[in-house]
Amino acid sequence: MSFLRLKTLQISYRLPEKFCRNMYVKNASVYMMGMNLFTLSKWKLWDPELSTGDGTKYPNTSSYTLGLNLSF
């Protein structure tokens, strides 16, 4: 069975130093991360990575994280 899956993606943006100085912060960055975002497959009944022939396992769940890193 052939399929294409995006398992993990993380995007980060470091805030400019001028903005950080106004907030009395050395460094600041914002990030967003996602896991099990999508699967492209002709097979639509269950997850193509499952090792069963009848889909009797739990499917992959997607999760999303949004965060802020600050250094003082």
Side-chain angles (χ1 to χ4, degrees):
M1 181 175 307
S2 63
F3 64 95
L4 176 69
R5 171 170 285 158
L6 180 59
K7 285 236 179 201
T8 304
L9 178 67
Q10 181 173 353
I11 299 172
S12 178
Y13 176 71
R14 186 172 177 180
L15 300 173
E17 289 181 20
K18 183 179 178 182
F19 181 77
C20 293
R21 279 192 302 248
N22 292 340
M23 295 176 43
Y24 304 103
V25 175
K26 288 182 184 177
N27 295 318
S29 64
V30 177
Y31 67 92
M32 184 170 56
M33 184 172 66
M35 297 180 70
N36 295 324
L37 297 176
F38 68 87
T39 301
L40 299 175
S41 173
K42 291 180 181 179
W43 184 253
K44 300 295 181 193
L45 295 177
W46 57 80
D47 184 1
E49 267 188 327
L50 290 178
S51 60
T52 66
D54 58 1
T56 56
K57 290 186 179 179
Y58 287 107
N60 282 335
T61 57
S62 297
S63 64
Y64 305 94
T65 304
L66 180 65
L68 177 65
N69 287 328
L70 299 173
S71 296
F72 295 94

